Amino acid sequence: MGTIIINIKELLQTRTSAIAKVSGKLMDILPKIENAYLLMENGLISDFGAMDNCPATENHLIIDARGKIVLPAWCDSHTHIVYAGNRETEFVDRIAGLTYEEIAQRGGGILNSAIQLNEMSEGELYEQSKIRLEEVIKLGTGAVEIKSGYGLTVEGELKMLRVIKRLKENYPVTIKSTFLGAHSFPTAYKENHTAYIDLIVHDMLPAIANEGLADFIDVFLETNYFSVIETERILKEAKKYGLVPKIHVNQFTAIGGIAKCVAMEALSVDHLEIVTDADILALKNGNTMPVALPSCSFFIGIPYTPARKIIDADLPLALASDFNPGTSPSGNMNFVVSLACIKMKMTPNEAINAATINGAYAMRIEKTHGSITVGKVANLIVTKPLNSYYQIPYSFGSNVIDMVIVKGEVMGVGIGLWNYYTI
Ligand code: NIG
Ligand code: FE
């Protein structure tokens, strides 16, 4: 017996033949079926189509979605959901005029979070992090990547990655984990970068591989953080353990990092608030997904990723939340999609493609997530009654979600989220 959603006003992102990602002009095409049904069995999408062809429903649990839109749950390919405490004081410092970089140079920023994290027990870190994970699921996220990077010590990094592993085990959403030991140089290593990279290479990477804690490797490739050469060394070593690169790059400056990441077959390059013509050219020579993080631009007041420049160059683009305590203390992908439309001039079609199938590609789960395709995981958003799906980005700040379905099960908001049930 399955669950069937009937009378769907608009079923979005329907792809009968599987695609890995969408690029350029094709990003403005979002296939949909009006007045549709969708059948889920064993946690997977098993059938969908127009209501005219709806199969007999007697054997199924029925959800009537009259007036409502159904689309794939968001695929948020870049977050730092596991962190300790908060950084509201830096928020106030920025209002008073300090920049993100000035705060970091005073020992705030990532190092501030690292102090809090190293002082916190693994149990408490899990408790704080799971609240954020539950929140983003309620907001429609069905797959999420989570990074380490606030430990910056062997024990701290392992603690974070073990918490991510526990979240993977305890929650039905799909979670991918990324090792970001190269997020910042700890104060003790400020003058001796090689020694910290040695620690990453000789101590962190083998310990992480030994416990199978990471799917991907990340580095903050940026002026005053990790150089192109330092990044290259880390990526080469990580490759020995099968870790695929997803890199923070071009957030503040363009120093040739994108070309290096593409050459090293990075799965994604993330941030890209600053993009040169050479960066565009480099991206066109590879399969690396550019990922924009507009809530970071919004929160710390830096430029938005030039989406038009990227898409108009026939490249793909993904959107992610960057949920973290310093530059984006929000994992709300609905807001990310709104910002992309309002501030980056992406169309709703482009933004929804970027936050579903292209986000899935940026986590290497495009074969199983990110579109309405038979055989894919039944992770879905059912909206409230809406005029059209344009209202999803248009009604920014409002919650347009009625129901979130993960692995074919309705998340039981209001009856205790984690006693989820089937209607
Ligand atoms: O993606 N830029 C590097 N890392 C994070 C911010 C980390 C922090 O400030 O805590 C980001 O924006
Ligand atoms: Fe980030």
Side-chain angles (χ1 to χ4, degrees), residues 78 80 87 90 100 109-111 113 147 150 180 183 220 222 225 248 251-252 271 273 293 296 300 322 324-328:
H78 179 139
H80 310 247
R87 305 227 299 268
E90 295 179 6
Y100 179 79
I110 294 164
L111 297 182
S113 287
K147 299 172 193 298
Y150 290 122
L180 176 55
H183 200 186
F220 189 11
E222 184 57 70
Y225 292 84
H248 281 77
Q251 182 175 7
F252 303 111
H271 272 291
E273 286 85 346
L293 310 167
C296 168
I300 65 168
D322 199 15
N324 78 78
T327 68
S328 173

Side-chain angles (χ1 to χ4, degrees), residues 50 87-88 146 152 173 177 190 261 268 359 384 400 402 408:
R87 305 227 299 268
E88 314 86 311
I146 310 176
L152 311 181
V173 284
S177 67
K190 273 269 172 283
C261 293
S268 71
K384 294 172 181 163
V400 300
D402 188 32

Side-chain angles (χ1 to χ4, degrees), residues 82-94:
V82 172
Y83 60 82
N86 246 316
R87 305 227 299 268
E88 314 86 311
T89 51
E90 295 179 6
F91 169 63
V92 178
D93 288 343
R94 264 199 321 280

Side-chain angles (χ1 to χ4, degrees), residues 262-275:
V262 173
M264 297 195 75
E265 297 179 331
L267 179 60
S268 71
V269 282
D270 303 32
H271 272 291
L272 280 55
E273 286 85 346
I274 307 297
V275 177

